[in-house]
């Protein structure tokens, strides 16, 4: 996880850092660390039935050499125009959970993949191949997701 994931103790704390103005009902899944040298970390939130149609502001803690700890997120509407097969998130969504730590996103990977391929949701992505972060906001599906691939 980004720096905030290392400094916070609970999923709720991490959600408050990354989505500071987002109301959510509960945390559905949270993985803040990976076991081997590569894998996926994630946060999956259940949104309320009254979730706003516009995505929230995202704050991305950055551990770059510049130590700029807050970056504003920029959202794109779905469907996602690029194939997931060419992104680092592909391993998190479809990789073998027995061989790749965090793959499958605690059973939410198929739903996240479907959300990205249909209209009525939002996504944004930051970073290179390693440390790449994907944010998904899907008010109709009632999910908000932070997914990170890397070490």
């Amino acid at each position: 996880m980004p720096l905030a994931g290392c400094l916070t103790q609970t999923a709720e704390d991490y959600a408050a850092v990354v989505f500071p103005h987002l109301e959510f009902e509960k945390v559905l899944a949270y993985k803040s660390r990976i076991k081997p040298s590569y894998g996926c970390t994630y946060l999956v939130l259940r949104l309320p039935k009254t979730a706003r149609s516009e995505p929230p502001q995202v704050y991305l803690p950055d551990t770059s050499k510049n130590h700029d700890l807050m970056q504003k997120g920029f959202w794109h509407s779905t469907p996602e125009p690029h194939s997931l097969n060419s992104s680092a998130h592909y391993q998190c969504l479809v990789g073998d959970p027995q061989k790749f730590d965090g793959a499958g996103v605690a059973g939410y990977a198929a739903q996240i993949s479907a959300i990205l391929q249909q209209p009525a949701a939002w996504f944004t992505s930051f970073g290179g191949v390693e440390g790449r972060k994907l944010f998904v906001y899907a008010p109709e599906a009632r999910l908000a997701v932070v997914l990170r691939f890397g070490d």
Side-chain angles (χ1 to χ4, degrees), residues 46-64:
R46 169 65 66 213
L47 298 175
K49 292 178 184 176
T50 58
R52 297 175 48 160
S53 60
E54 295 294 315
Q57 183 70 49
V58 167
Y59 291 97
L60 181 66
D62 180 9
T63 58
S64 70

Side-chain angles (χ1 to χ4, degrees), residues 80 95 139 146:
E80 194 241 354
V146 180

Side-chain angles (χ1 to χ4, degrees), residues 49-101:
K49 292 178 184 176
T50 58
R52 297 175 48 160
S53 60
E54 295 294 315
Q57 183 70 49
V58 167
Y59 291 97
L60 181 66
D62 180 9
T63 58
S64 70
K65 292 179 183 177
N66 295 328
H67 300 293
D68 179 16
L69 296 179
M70 300 299 261
Q71 296 177 340
K72 291 185 178 180
F74 182 74
W75 292 99
H76 303 279
S77 60
T78 57
E80 194 241 354
H82 306 298
S83 170
L84 287 174
N85 295 343
S86 64
S87 74
H89 305 115
Y90 182 76
Q91 289 298 320
C92 296
L93 295 172
V94 302
D96 181 351
Q98 300 301 319
K99 298 178 182 178
F100 194 78
D101 192 42

Side-chain angles (χ1 to χ4, degrees), residues 72-145:
K72 291 185 178 180
F74 182 74
W75 292 99
H76 303 279
S77 60
T78 57
E80 194 241 354
H82 306 298
S83 170
L84 287 174
N85 295 343
S86 64
S87 74
H89 305 115
Y90 182 76
Q91 289 298 320
C92 296
L93 295 172
V94 302
D96 181 351
Q98 300 301 319
K99 298 178 182 178
F100 194 78
D101 192 42
V105 192
Y108 291 95
Q111 186 176 8
I112 295 166
S113 295
I115 287 168
L116 289 168
Q117 300 308 314
Q118 299 171 5
W122 302 87
F123 74 97
T124 188
S125 186
F126 298 90
V129 173
E130 185 176 329
R132 187 142 191 95
K133 297 153 198 80
L134 172 70
F135 292 77
V136 179
Y137 180 75
E140 289 184 12
R142 297 180 55 207
L143 287 184
V145 177

